[in-house]
Amino acid sequence: MLQAIEKAVRTASEYMLTFSDPKVYEKDGHSNYVTQADLAVQQKLFTLLEPICENAMFFAEEQENACLTDDPTWVIDPIDGTHNFMRGRLHSAISVALLINKQPVYAVVANPYRDEYYTAEKGKGAFLNGEPIHVSNEPFEKALVSFGSSPYYADLAAYGVKAVGRFLQEAADIRRVGSAALDLTDVACGRSDIFFEYRLSPWDVAAGALLVTEAGGEFVMPTLDAPDFSAPNTILAANPRCLARAKEIVLSCMQ
Ligand code: LIP
């Protein structure tokens, strides 16, 4: 099953790279866009994934009125990092997860620009192009902290500014790359140690969450007792050494 999903995502990645100057549409919310490529790649993924898991539902970013049920469901972000994609910043991802009973069981995240394919099946580890990956063992004071600025939600900007200030004072440094899925793969393979964002949608994080946990990391929604992939939430991913302090900072800045 995982190999079939990866094959489908590889095909969709090649297709994504054929779009050089896609038409851009504005969506509801601050700084929120969708391109002709997002829509086309999403439709390509629907077609490629449907035969892999008969009768599975779809819960995708560019789909109207979708919802998550206990049934097997493909949770898809056809282009994560759309703003980067629009501006030619060459740092966007395709994120695909298959959820059963609302929990990720299979995950594939692709970075088409680097030909990097991150894969995981629940209970069987996480891989980058077939090689095992693992989160870092860096302590909090040496942590490289990725963050997302929740640009669609201008009311959350103040939280992010406060939290970034605290991490800059207490950890090593900050990164803002513009794709949550790739922020999560960075944590999973140890390229960074912490990632947080004050509001992300299920399709941004469902696949990356499984990659992080299968790579020995922690994925939490700090305001909830357990991750809920049915609606947007605050998210935090970290190696085990960094989680506690990172969670304290993320929560303390939400006021
Ligand atoms: C984006 C994320 C990014 C976040 C944006 C948006 P999209 O996903 O990858 O980290 O800050 O708000 O959610 O909308 O480009 O698929």
Side-chain angles (χ1 to χ4, degrees):
M1 170 78 87
L2 188 59
Q3 291 72 18
I5 301 168
E6 180 184 350
K7 184 172 185 285
V9 172
R10 283 180 177 272
T11 301
S13 296
E14 291 165 13
Y15 183 52
M16 172 183 153
L17 296 181
T18 65
F19 291 87
S20 56
D21 186 21
K23 189 170 176 57
V24 176
Y25 309 96
E26 293 205 6
K27 293 167 66 173
D28 292 345
H30 175 259
S31 182
N32 193 356
Y33 304 97
V34 60
T35 73
Q36 170 200 11
D38 293 80
L39 300 170
V41 169
Q42 180 170 282
Q43 188 52 53
K44 173 77 74 173
L45 286 166
F46 286 179
T47 304
L48 291 166
L49 294 170
E50 197 277 331
I52 296 172
C53 184
E54 297 291 336
N55 304 318
M57 310 296 285
F58 286 94
F59 184 40
E61 179 168 20
E62 310 310 343
Q63 188 184 13
E64 298 293 328
N65 308 318
C67 68
L68 183 64
T69 69
D70 286 340
D71 294 334
T73 304
W74 297 107
V75 179
I76 296 170
D77 193 338
I79 300 181
D80 181 69
T82 295
H83 213 159
N84 281 349
F85 181 77
M86 288 162 47
R87 303 294 297 274
R89 295 180 63 88
L90 308 185
H91 197 78
S92 304
I94 294 179
S95 183
V96 173
L98 182 63
L99 278 64
I100 299 173
N101 297 323
K102 300 189 175 107
Q103 293 301 315
V105 176
Y106 295 96
V108 178
V109 173
N111 181 337
Y113 302 106
R114 297 178 66 164
D115 201 32
E116 291 184 341
Y117 292 83
Y118 301 83
T119 61
E121 179 180 352
K122 190 164 180 62
K124 297 188 177 179
F127 300 85
L128 166 53
N129 293 347
E131 294 299 320
I133 56 176
H134 201 273
V135 297
S136 74
N137 191 38
E138 293 294 335
F140 181 82
E141 61 274 12
K142 293 187 176 178
L144 199 52
V145 184
S146 296
F147 95 106
S149 51
S150 310
Y152 307 161
Y153 310 98
D155 57 312
L156 298 178
Y159 294 173
V161 169
K162 278 194 287 187
V164 164
R166 294 281 297 280
F167 281 112
L168 282 173
Q169 288 170 333
E170 297 188 34
D173 204 351
I174 288 285
R175 295 287 185 275
R176 169 40 172 176
V177 297
S179 165
L182 295 180
D183 285 312
L184 289 165
T185 59
D186 281 346
V187 172
C189 67
R191 290 174 179 160
S192 57
D193 312 296
I194 299 166
F195 168 59
F196 75 97
E197 187 152 359
Y198 277 110
R199 189 169 298 151
L200 277 172
S201 295
W203 37 78
D204 296 316
V205 302
L210 184 63
L211 288 163
V212 167
T213 55
E214 286 298 316
E218 305 283 351
F219 178 89
V220 299
M221 294 182 183
T223 60
L224 304 178
D225 293 334
D228 172 4
F229 295 99
S230 65
N233 276 289
T234 297
I235 73 102
L236 170 65
N239 75 29
R241 293 185 72 180
C242 292
L243 180 70
R245 184 62 189 134
K247 184 176 179 180
E248 287 172 348
I249 291 174
V250 168
L251 286 173
S252 67
C253 292
M254 293 180 76
Q255 50 194 338

